[in-house]
Amino acid sequence: MGQTGTTIECIKFADDCKPTAMNPINRKVLTLDEFTIQQLRNFPQATGELSNLLRDIGLAAKRVNVEVNKAGLVDILGDAGSVNVQGEDVKKLDVFANNQFMGVLRHGISCAGIASEELDDIAIFDDEISNQSKYICLFDPLDGSGNIDVNISIGTIFSVYRRIGTKGEPCSREDFLQPGIRQIAAGYIIYGSSTMMVYATRRGANGFTLDPSIGEFTLSHPDIKCPSDGKIYSVNHGNFFQYGDGEKKYIDTCQKKNKRNGGPYTQRYIGSMVADLHRNLIKGGIFMYPGTTEKPRGKLRLLYECNPFAFILEVCGGRATDGKERILDIIPQELHERTPFFAGSTLMMDELEQCMKDH
Ligand code: AHG
Ligand code: MN
Ligand code: MN
């Protein structure tokens, strides 16, 4: 990986979580830290910077989780009285989450800077240690935040790249404007009926459920694979008459008796892409946020919403496009650019593409 147009070749997941005489750690209680450290054992040349980074992200996620869980109890709900760089309402928890992820990475030693949905420009951690770090991160600190005050699942999305600039110098915008295919890792945290962190590298994708009794993310979904077919389609039907003919045709196909896959399919749309995509990743399905006549580029942001999910889905065997091009091949022009987004099980993506081609 590393070049536009190349495929993600998954290195076979090292099944070293099973307890053996040499490695007596019980798979059932393997924590995120234990898991990333075990992965390091397979790569003696690795520096451990990525493990540090994931641990930092896990720590911030736990802090955000605590606040999300008491959102109905404390006065942390409601508008923060400002709008974000895209003119949308910023909830107090968005700001809190942004500060947590930024804080933990600024104080850590593995990240040279971040970009976030909540920040107009990149934040460069210009200090001696950060300038030596290999990685930069992009975040949607709180995704689906419109759902917070009605107790519906929300999430965090992140993406990790190796810097292209010179080590020792501060990071720059070019480090953040790399195509998604160059991601080193991507993941999300879902604050749902349980809290989970899923992250993918080229070695595979693994899910860790937060065990509240020990306060640790614990390996619960090893080596996640997206079923090649599914029966769930997720789209905002309210925008139907603003979609293009190809999308309308596909939605029509989903709603009809479908010989190929025993349709009609089931429509599920939460309005938190983390929750919608997490379900479809596990059960199989397709998620769509097309462009509309009002917003031809749709709503979702390429760098910190679509690219991380495109990477995770591809690692798990699924696909993601903007309706024409593979998401991971798009060369970003701006930090906050938007793109139409279609992602999910390969056979459903094929079906969608056929409809788009016919129109
Ligand atoms: P955010 O809360 O970070 O702004 O993102 C919300 C996104 C995404 O999670 C979801 O799929 C989509 O907005 C829902 O948008 P619509 O209400 O337009 O369908
Ligand atoms: Mn979002
Ligand atoms: Mn957000």
Side-chain angles (χ1 to χ4, degrees), residues 80-230:
S82 58
V83 289
N84 70 12
V85 290
Q86 284 137 91
E88 296 154 345
D89 285 346
V90 179
K91 302 286 179 191
K92 282 182 185 171
L93 263 178
D94 291 278
V95 179
F96 177 83
N98 188 56
N99 292 343
Q100 288 307 316
F101 286 103
M102 188 153 81
V104 88
L105 292 174
R106 190 188 283 280
H107 295 127
I109 56 167
S110 308
C111 185
I114 68 156
S116 159
E117 181 188 355
E118 304 303 338
L119 301 174
D120 198 356
D121 207 347
I122 58 172
I124 304 172
F125 303 158
D126 187 7
D127 61 71
E128 212 175 307
I129 292 177
S130 301
N131 289 347
Q132 288 298 329
S133 330
K134 266 199 286 205
Y135 300 116
I136 56 101
C137 286
L138 296 103
F139 281 96
D140 179 352
L142 216 53
D143 173 71
S145 51
N147 283 325
I148 298 166
D149 37 6
V150 285
N151 221 336
I152 287 172
S153 299
I154 51 178
T156 295
I157 313 170
F158 64 90
S159 171
V160 181
Y161 291 82
R162 186 168 284 126
R163 302 168 56 186
I164 47 179
T166 316
K167 217 176 157 187
E169 285 176 12
C171 63
S172 69
R173 279 173 75 82
E174 288 83 77
D175 294 322
F176 294 85
L177 294 177
Q178 301 187 58
I181 188 69
R182 295 221 187 107
Q183 285 169 101
I184 296 296
Y188 60 87
I189 295 106
I190 177 166
Y191 311 99
S193 41
S194 60
T195 296
M196 251 188 102
M197 175 164 164
V198 173
Y199 83 87
T201 65
R202 276 171 295 157
R203 255 169 273 144
N206 295 283
F208 302 82
T209 301
L210 184 63
D211 178 346
S213 64
I214 54 168
E216 292 285 357
F217 284 105
T218 303
L219 183 63
S220 53
H221 295 59
D223 199 18
I224 297 171
K225 295 285 176 231
C226 179
S228 60
D229 210 350

